[in-house]
Amino acid sequence: PNNCIAIQNSLCTAPGMLFRQDEKVIVSMPGVPYEMKAMITNTVIPYLTSNFNLPTIIHKSILTAGVGETVLAEHLKIFEQTKDARIKLAYLPNVGKVRLRLTIKGENKLELENVITKSTNEVIKAVDQYIYGFDDDIFEEKTGELLIQKQLTIGTAESCTGGYIAHLLTSVAGSSAYFKGSIVSYANEVKQDLLHVKKETLQQFGAVSEQTVSEMLSGALQQLKVDVAIAVSGVAGPSGGTAEKPVGTVFIGIATKEKQYIRKLSFTNNRERNIQLTGVVSLVMLRKFILNQLID
C-alpha cells in the first residue's frame, strides 16, 4: 500500500508494513517467529522510541527448576501481598522449570530500577533453593558452570531416557571439559554386561527399581571413570506399566564413590514429557547433590 512504511526483512523476502495515522501505529509482520523478532528489534522498537514519548518498562526474570508454579506461589504469598503495586509478577512454566518475571512500568527509570531490584531480592530470598539463574541464563549451561567450578567430571547411565540426559549436558559448547560419556543401557543384558548390574537384582527387583539404579550408578562410576554419575530407569510409556509401577514411574540416582542419592518419582502418562521431565529433574538433583542441598 502507498501509505505504508516498508520494513526490510533481512532474513527472508516478505517485508513488513508499518502504518501511522492520527498518532496510532499498526504494524504488519510475517508470522515466522525469528523473522518477526528481527523486525521488532531492528525496526519497530527504534521507530516507536524515536517517534513517541514511551514509558520505561523493566523486566527481571528469576529462573527456577524442579518445582511447579503452585509451590512457588505458596512461597511467594507474602511477597504478592506486600510488593509495590506497580510490580507485576508472572509465572511462566516450561517442562520442569518456571520463569518468574517481574515487570514494572513508569516514567522515572532510576526509581523503577531501585524498586525492581528490591523486589528481585525479596523473591530470591523466598525461593532461593529453586533458583538456577536469571534473565537469559540457560539451565544446562549453569549446570556445566557448576561442574567446572567444583572441578567434577560426569557421565550418565540411562535406560528410559535413551541418552536424553547426555544430550542435555553436551548441548553446551565446551562440555567436553566435564562430560566423559554415557552408557545407554536400554536392554537388561546391557545393564548386566556394561554396568555390571547383577542378574539376581534384575530378577528380584526389576529393571525399574532403586536397587537396579544403585548398581547402574556404581557401574557408571567404574566404567566411565568419572567423579559423579547420573543413572535413571523408568517406565516412559505409553505401555509397560503395572499396578505397582505405572507409566511415569522413574528412579533417578546421583552418586560419587562416597555416596549415593536415589529418588522414586511419578510423572505423567505421556512418553515424551516423561523423558523430558526425567532429564530436567536429573539435572536439578545433580545441582542439589553437588551443593549438598538434597534432603531424604
Side-chain angles (χ1 to χ4, degrees):
N2 291 331
N3 61 335
C4 87
I5 298 171
I7 303 175
Q8 181 182 358
N9 187 340
S10 59
L11 301 174
C12 199
T13 56
M17 295 181 289
L18 189 150
F19 301 88
R20 179 173 178 178
Q21 185 172 347
D22 301 329
E23 296 305 301
K24 297 180 176 61
V25 172
I26 297 174
V27 182
S28 170
M29 291 172 287
V32 180
Y34 69 88
E35 294 180 36
M36 176 270 292
K37 289 179 181 179
M39 287 186 182
I40 287 179
T41 301
N42 299 332
T43 303
V44 178
I45 291 177
Y47 177 87
L48 295 175
T49 54
S50 62
N51 285 274
F52 295 91
N53 183 21
L54 300 175
T56 296
I57 301 174
I58 302 174
H59 297 291
K60 182 65 179 180
S61 290
I62 301 162
L63 310 176
T64 70
V67 291
E69 57 266 40
T70 304
V71 173
L72 294 170
E74 187 64 30
H75 283 276
L76 291 167
K77 188 181 294 184
I78 295 176
F79 170 78
E80 293 260 31
Q81 294 169 349
T82 59
K83 67 179 176 63
D84 189 298
R86 294 170 291 177
I87 288 283
K88 307 299 179 186
L89 173 60
Y91 296 78
L92 307 172
N94 202 333
V95 178
K97 301 188 284 286
V98 179
R99 176 186 293 266
L100 299 171
R101 188 183 65 200
L102 296 170
T103 302
I104 193 168
K105 174 178 160 182
E107 302 298 330
N108 189 324
K109 183 177 180 180
L110 181 59
E111 180 194 3
L112 298 178
E113 288 175 343
N114 290 335
V115 171
I116 204 162
T117 297
K118 179 176 179 292
S119 296
T120 300
N121 290 335
E122 290 172 358
V123 172
I124 291 171
K125 186 176 179 180
V127 298
D128 182 57
Q129 60 185 312
Y130 307 117
I131 296 172
Y132 69 84
F134 301 90
D135 298 323
D136 297 323
D137 286 339
I138 297 172
F139 185 47
E140 293 79 11
E141 288 183 359
K142 299 303 290 185
T143 302
E145 288 174 11
L146 181 60
L147 289 163
I148 290 173
Q149 178 190 336
K150 299 295 183 178
Q151 296 183 320
L152 296 171
T153 57
I154 189 169
T156 66
E158 304 183 49
S159 183
C160 61
T161 46
Y164 181 68
I165 302 169
H167 160 71
L168 292 177
L169 289 166
T170 56
S171 65
V172 179
S175 54
S176 58
Y178 49 84
F179 183 80
K180 282 203 169 184
S182 177
I183 296 174
V184 181
S185 54
Y186 213 67
N188 282 352
E189 55 265 31
V190 179
K191 292 180 178 69
Q192 293 176 240
D193 295 342
L194 296 185
L195 293 171
H196 307 307
V197 176
K198 298 183 185 68
K199 184 177 181 180
E200 296 77 20
T201 301
L202 292 166
Q203 290 176 338
Q204 182 176 353
F205 301 104
V208 181
S209 66
E210 180 178 347
Q211 293 80 1
T212 293
V213 167
S214 176
E215 294 183 16
M216 288 172 67
L217 286 167
S218 298
L221 289 168
Q222 179 184 358
Q223 296 293 86
L224 298 172
K225 296 179 174 56
V226 290
D227 299 312
V228 60
I230 298 174
V232 297
S233 186
V235 187
S239 59
T242 64
E244 182 184 357
K245 298 172 185 176
V247 169
T249 301
V250 178
F251 287 87
I252 301 175
I254 315 288
T256 61
K257 291 178 181 177
E258 292 75 31
K259 61 179 180 177
Q260 285 190 355
Y261 182 88
I262 301 172
R263 281 186 63 192
K264 177 183 178 182
L265 297 113
S266 298
F267 293 136
T268 72
N269 58 4
N270 181 279
R271 180 180 181 82
E272 182 179 2
R273 184 166 289 269
N274 288 336
I275 292 171
Q276 291 175 334
L277 283 168
T278 301
V280 172
V281 174
S282 294
L283 297 189
V284 171
M285 284 176 57
L286 171 67
R287 182 178 183 82
K288 291 186 175 182
F289 184 90
I290 293 171
L291 296 174
N292 294 313
Q293 294 177 346
L294 286 173
I295 301 173
D296 290 317

